Amino acid sequence: MTFSITARCEKTGQFGIAISTCFPAVGSICPFAKASVGAIATQSQTNPYIGVRGLQYLDQGLTASEVLEKVLAEDPDPEARQVAIVDKHGHSVAFTGDKSDTWKGHLTGDNYAVAGNMLVGEATIQAMARTFEDQSDLPFTERLLHALEAGQEAGGDKRGRQSAALYAVSTEAYPMLDLRVDDHEDPVKELR
């Protein structure tokens, strides 16, 4: 039901998530990030505790891989989840459970992870990854938004569109950017 990019800026250390789906208010429940710690997107059949606890574990010094293993072990139905994590070192991991609806999958690279389920196809996450990698000269939040736009242009959610969000943290305990489109016929465009 969702496609997202979870990332770290290698130049500034900022973290952020750009995400869109065919349900209302995706920004209220799926993106989690903490300055100097990391970022997590939890989607498919969303479990917000993956984001809440995952950030706590990252803050305790666990790596992205260790956090993913821990939050999935604690989850009552991990195969219903899709998770993307980037830690303070830029290490990224992702997981797509077998119960996530098709098309489903993820890609990871240095400082980012893209993931999606109930998509038109794999082209959505491929376009997001390529765009994020190719636009390293842009400000971080612009890179995230461009990646989300590329995913939408490549197909996005197979059921349609309803909400989108762009959430980013820098050096403070509060977000540097928290933009949400909770209910709109073209949420990614409206986010721009």
Side-chain angles (χ1 to χ4, degrees):
M1 67 177 181
T2 309
F3 57 102
S4 68
I5 180 166
T6 304
R8 173 185 174 268
C9 179
E10 61 275 15
K11 297 174 187 171
T12 64
Q14 297 168 345
F15 291 96
I17 300 107
I19 189 167
S20 184
T21 192
C22 183
F23 279 96
V26 68
S28 69
I29 199 163
C30 294
F32 294 83
K34 184 174 180 182
S36 303
V37 173
I40 300 172
T42 171
Q43 53 200 56
S44 192
Q45 294 180 38
T46 302
N47 177 355
Y49 285 108
I50 289 173
V52 172
R53 292 180 185 140
L55 286 179
Q56 291 171 348
Y57 300 145
L58 286 173
D59 205 12
Q60 292 168 5
L62 274 66
T63 66
S65 295
E66 292 168 333
V67 170
L68 180 63
E69 184 178 327
K70 193 166 176 66
V71 296
L72 291 176
E74 295 172 348
D75 192 279
D77 192 7
E79 292 302 325
R81 316 297 180 213
Q82 190 170 51
V83 182
I85 303 173
V86 179
D87 67 25
K88 65 183 176 182
H89 303 292
H91 302 140
S92 63
V93 293
F95 171 81
T96 301
D98 287 340
K99 291 182 184 176
S100 297
D101 204 344
T102 56
W103 190 94
K104 61 187 176 192
H106 58 266
L107 296 170
T108 61
D110 290 340
N111 294 296
Y112 77 89
V114 292
N117 62 87
M118 293 193 91
L119 301 182
V120 170
E122 185 177 8
T124 297
I125 63 170
Q126 290 173 334
M128 294 175 76
R130 185 173 50 253
T131 299
F132 186 77
E133 288 175 356
D134 291 348
Q135 297 187 345
S136 61
D137 57 321
L138 292 177
F140 180 59
T141 54
E142 276 294 316
R143 287 176 75 191
L144 292 173
L145 187 52
H146 278 251
L148 192 67
E149 290 169 332
Q152 184 64 73
E153 289 171 17
D157 191 317
K158 70 181 181 182
R159 296 156 311 150
R161 310 167 183 183
Q162 190 165 4
S163 69
L166 177 56
Y167 186 85
V169 296
S170 185
T171 58
E172 304 296 337
Y174 54 86
M176 71 174 199
L177 188 64
D178 185 359
L179 297 179
R180 299 179 188 185
V181 176
D182 288 342
D183 186 10
H184 194 275
E185 63 188 19
D186 196 349
V188 174
K189 184 177 179 183
E190 184 70 5
L191 196 62
R192 164 67 64 191

